[in-house]
Amino acid sequence: MGNRGFSWRANVRTWQAVLAAWLAYVLVRLAIQPLLGWEPVGPDDWTRLLEVRAWLDGQGWWDVTQYRMKPPEGFSMHWSRLVDMPLALMTLLFGETVALVMVPLLWLLPALFALRAIMLRLDFSDLAFLFGLVLLPLFPLLPGNFAPFRIDHHAPQAVLALVCAALLLRDSKWSAVACGTCAAAWVVISLEGLPLVAVLAGLYGVRYWFGERTLLPWFLGALAAAAAMLSHTTRGPDPGMGFCDVLLPGHMLVFAAAAVIAAIIPFLPWQDRVQGRVFALAAMGLVCLQLAGSLLGPCATNPMAELNPVLQQWWHGYITEGLPVWKQPVSVALMLVWTVGIIVAGWWTAHRCGLFHQGRALACTLLFLFALAAGGYSLLVMREGTVAQLLAIPFAALLLAEWLPKARAVTSAMPRIVATLAVLGFATPLFASAFAKPLDKHFPAETMQPDVLALIEPGDCGYARLAAVEPGLVFAPLDAGPEILGRTRNTVVAASYHRNQRPMADVISALTGSAADARAIIDTYAPDYVAACAASADVALYRTAAVDNFANALVSGEVPDWLERDETASQGPLHVYRVVR
């Protein structure tokens, strides 16, 4: 036999194809990284770096307090060591820079393997399989979350969600156990994943409803056991410390109670009938909801429901990633809605292409319902769009595999090009979002009002210049705090972490109020420096509170006599003042 050469169709389903797709993405990201910079992306990435540094420097495993924020007591944090572990390990083995570059890229690898498992289970065509491995860059929220230096907790959460989806489609009890364990890690990292974990439990209930194997008790049992173990080992015997933003013993008791009830249900009367199974599952849900309300009390609701009014007005309402779709810029809103549309259209295509045959109907339906739930959740909390877009990739791959060959088969050149672009635009959210971008300035969201944008000065804040001053306590806007800590030996009064509402509100009140009000607040913290960067969005927002407020005074340089400009650190849009006592 002659040499038939390499065939992508013969290799696209292999694990080597996953590695090749991952390696190609890594090489492209590393090639363009010099253009984007070799440093953490935002405040949360800087703070994650601070967490890892403090731990490696000897801070306790259970203690995630940021002691350089509002020293000496520090800022209480709800973050999990689960996210710190791979960063710390890579730092010890290869150094900090390698860890910051490679850990976000490595999170993509299990995501691609989970996509492969989903596509194998649903028996995708070779072409759809290929699209499923390479489509990630066309989903706007995904490349940035798997990019070097993007070390916050959003990528791990999204990967765990996708792995749970892949395990949900399998029929063995060990897959259910693995799914429950991954779901537990997900909610230990962030309680924000709890609604989708509840959806997972509901989908295992759907499996029981349709007479599938009794996998629900295995999922819930693993969820309860792993949640208790992971919470205790990473947060200690008192995980909540009086806060509602982490997994609490009440949550774990509800998980355990649900597992016990789910194990009993198959032995109840009439479980051989659909009506009996539905009634039992509904009763179980009602019991668990009542139990959650009793055990969790006020913590059963949104932990952000009771915020300081100052924070509600000047902080929380401007965190775009936490806002619903109707408060997003037009391009972002369309991207979120388009992602949901891709899921629905892909589901219709799956039905049309025969994926419901040969025992795949239930698996395809479960994936659709989970992806649709994630898409719906993203319309309420924008950052959940990362999960929704990962889950939408298989549906986009089906759309492209079905319609792109038809578009390419058009004989005339111009209609063929138009049809090809139309299919690509319809099957991914990137182009819709890009085309809608010019509309953002004509229909500005609350977070990007023209009067605020006009006050943002060009230039780089350059907080590293604060390393040149004698180390001290810096009174600075909330978003500046983590970067100042990451680049210098200074401490800061506050940063943007909701458990610590009093100092956060004080910083905002000082910057939005008069110089006299600011002096009264600043004296309570006794900082050595006051800093503000005119190129930052939060400072621009505070300047709109009043023409003669403290933020405007800092930027203009017309400051009261108890402040003295530090010419060493001040440069460009960064203004640094020493507090005269």
Side-chain angles (χ1 to χ4, degrees), residues 343-555:
I343 294 168
V344 174
W347 156 259
W348 175 81
T349 300
H351 182 77
R352 184 177 179 275
C353 294
L355 282 187
F356 280 26
H357 301 157
Q358 301 177 1
R360 295 191 295 269
L362 181 59
C364 198
T365 301
L366 292 173
L367 179 64
F368 167 68
L369 292 175
F370 189 43
L372 192 63
Y377 195 8
S378 73
L379 300 182
L380 299 175
V381 182
M382 178 265 184
R383 58 177 161 258
E384 293 302 319
T386 306
V387 176
Q389 292 197 351
L390 272 180
L391 292 169
I393 287 177
F395 298 99
L398 288 173
L399 288 171
L400 286 174
E402 174 69 9
W403 297 105
L404 195 58
K406 292 180 172 62
R408 300 302 301 159
V410 175
T411 55
S412 300
M414 187 55 65
R416 182 171 63 250
I417 293 171
V418 172
T420 299
L421 293 175
V423 171
L424 288 171
F426 175 71
T428 63
L430 176 65
F431 300 100
S433 178
F435 287 137
K437 194 70 176 176
L439 297 176
D440 289 348
K441 62 182 180 181
H442 297 293
F443 304 97
E446 188 175 343
T447 56
M448 49 181 294
Q449 290 297 320
D451 58 336
V452 176
L453 298 178
L455 292 174
I456 300 177
E457 296 183 7
D460 177 27
C461 290
Y463 292 117
R465 287 192 288 273
L466 278 163
V469 303
E470 185 71 21
L473 179 63
V474 181
F475 192 97
L478 302 181
D479 287 346
E483 186 173 351
I484 291 173
L485 298 183
R487 293 183 180 279
T488 76
R489 293 181 295 157
N490 294 290
T491 56
V492 297
V493 170
S496 187
Y497 299 104
H498 66 268
R499 283 189 174 186
N500 312 275
Q501 294 191 29
R502 184 69 267 161
M504 290 174 63
D506 284 346
V507 168
I508 293 174
S509 296
L511 291 168
T512 56
S514 66
D517 294 335
R519 177 65 187 270
I521 293 171
I522 287 173
D523 281 348
T524 64
Y525 293 95
D528 300 286
Y529 308 97
V530 175
C533 177
S536 62
D538 54 350
V539 171
L541 174 64
Y542 304 149
R543 292 176 65 188
T544 63
V547 175
D548 58 348
N549 69 6
F550 190 53
N552 278 303
L554 293 175
V555 169

Side-chain angles (χ1 to χ4, degrees), residues 155-480:
Q157 289 176 248
V159 172
L160 287 167
L162 188 63
V163 171
C164 284
L167 293 167
L168 173 69
L169 306 190
R170 300 178 65 86
D171 298 329
S172 75
K173 65 182 180 183
W174 298 116
S175 295
V177 168
C179 186
T181 303
C182 290
W186 183 3
V187 292
V188 167
I189 290 173
S190 175
L191 199 60
E192 201 170 80
L194 190 58
L196 290 180
V197 170
V199 170
L200 278 174
L203 294 176
Y204 273 104
V206 169
R207 298 196 70 132
Y208 181 64
W209 174 6
F210 281 97
E212 287 284 305
R213 295 180 59 182
T214 312
L215 300 179
L216 181 59
W218 293 98
F219 169 78
L220 290 172
L223 175 64
M229 180 192 70
L230 291 173
S231 181
H232 179 79
T233 55
T234 59
R235 288 203 169 98
D238 184 16
M241 296 180 294
F243 295 97
C244 297
D245 54 4
V246 297
L247 203 64
L248 300 172
H251 294 107
M252 300 171 215
L253 288 173
V254 174
F255 296 160
V260 171
I261 297 171
I264 293 172
I265 282 178
F267 301 99
L268 296 177
W270 306 302
Q271 294 307 294
D272 57 334
R273 305 175 188 175
V274 172
Q275 297 90 334
R277 294 195 292 271
V278 172
F279 178 80
L281 290 169
M284 170 185 164
L286 290 173
V287 169
C288 290
L289 284 174
Q290 181 64 38
L291 186 61
S294 301
L295 292 174
L296 295 171
C299 288
T301 60
N302 182 1
M304 291 288 197
E306 296 184 3
L307 273 180
N308 182 296
V310 172
L311 299 181
Q312 199 71 262
Q313 179 181 2
W314 294 103
W315 175 67
H316 188 252
Y318 292 90
I319 303 176
T320 307
E321 67 176 27
L323 298 178
V325 66
W326 55 88
K327 292 189 176 182
Q328 300 294 335
V330 175
S331 59
V332 176
L334 183 60
M335 174 193 67
L336 296 174
V337 174
W338 204 275
T339 301
V340 176
I342 289 170
I343 294 168
V344 174
W347 156 259
W348 175 81
T349 300
H351 182 77
R352 184 177 179 275
C353 294
L355 282 187
F356 280 26
H357 301 157
Q358 301 177 1
R360 295 191 295 269
L362 181 59
C364 198
T365 301
L366 292 173
L367 179 64
F368 167 68
L369 292 175
F370 189 43
L372 192 63
Y377 195 8
S378 73
L379 300 182
L380 299 175
V381 182
M382 178 265 184
R383 58 177 161 258
E384 293 302 319
T386 306
V387 176
Q389 292 197 351
L390 272 180
L391 292 169
I393 287 177
F395 298 99
L398 288 173
L399 288 171
L400 286 174
E402 174 69 9
W403 297 105
L404 195 58
K406 292 180 172 62
R408 300 302 301 159
V410 175
T411 55
S412 300
M414 187 55 65
R416 182 171 63 250
I417 293 171
V418 172
T420 299
L421 293 175
V423 171
L424 288 171
F426 175 71
T428 63
L430 176 65
F431 300 100
S433 178
F435 287 137
K437 194 70 176 176
L439 297 176
D440 289 348
K441 62 182 180 181
H442 297 293
F443 304 97
E446 188 175 343
T447 56
M448 49 181 294
Q449 290 297 320
D451 58 336
V452 176
L453 298 178
L455 292 174
I456 300 177
E457 296 183 7
D460 177 27
C461 290
Y463 292 117
R465 287 192 288 273
L466 278 163
V469 303
E470 185 71 21
L473 179 63
V474 181
F475 192 97
L478 302 181
D479 287 346

Side-chain angles (χ1 to χ4, degrees), residues 78-245:
H78 67 288
W79 287 7
S80 171
R81 288 289 189 209
L82 288 178
V83 182
D84 295 344
M85 289 170 63
L87 288 162
L89 178 61
M90 288 286 285
T91 299
L92 290 173
L93 292 177
F94 305 108
E96 184 177 276
T97 300
V98 173
L100 297 179
V101 170
M102 289 307 301
V103 168
L105 294 171
L106 286 170
W107 277 116
L108 180 59
L109 198 54
L112 291 176
F113 273 107
L115 284 171
R116 174 178 180 263
I118 289 171
M119 294 187 290
L120 285 174
R121 176 67 181 87
L122 298 179
D123 196 20
F124 275 24
S125 68
D126 293 337
L127 186 59
F129 216 103
L130 177 63
F131 284 134
L133 293 180
V134 302
L135 271 180
L136 181 139
L138 298 183
F139 284 79
L141 294 178
L142 300 184
N145 277 294
F146 294 100
F149 297 95
R150 191 67 173 179
I151 56 173
D152 64 17
H153 54 272
H154 298 310
Q157 289 176 248
V159 172
L160 287 167
L162 188 63
V163 171
C164 284
L167 293 167
L168 173 69
L169 306 190
R170 300 178 65 86
D171 298 329
S172 75
K173 65 182 180 183
W174 298 116
S175 295
V177 168
C179 186
T181 303
C182 290
W186 183 3
V187 292
V188 167
I189 290 173
S190 175
L191 199 60
E192 201 170 80
L194 190 58
L196 290 180
V197 170
V199 170
L200 278 174
L203 294 176
Y204 273 104
V206 169
R207 298 196 70 132
Y208 181 64
W209 174 6
F210 281 97
E212 287 284 305
R213 295 180 59 182
T214 312
L215 300 179
L216 181 59
W218 293 98
F219 169 78
L220 290 172
L223 175 64
M229 180 192 70
L230 291 173
S231 181
H232 179 79
T233 55
T234 59
R235 288 203 169 98
D238 184 16
M241 296 180 294
F243 295 97
C244 297
D245 54 4

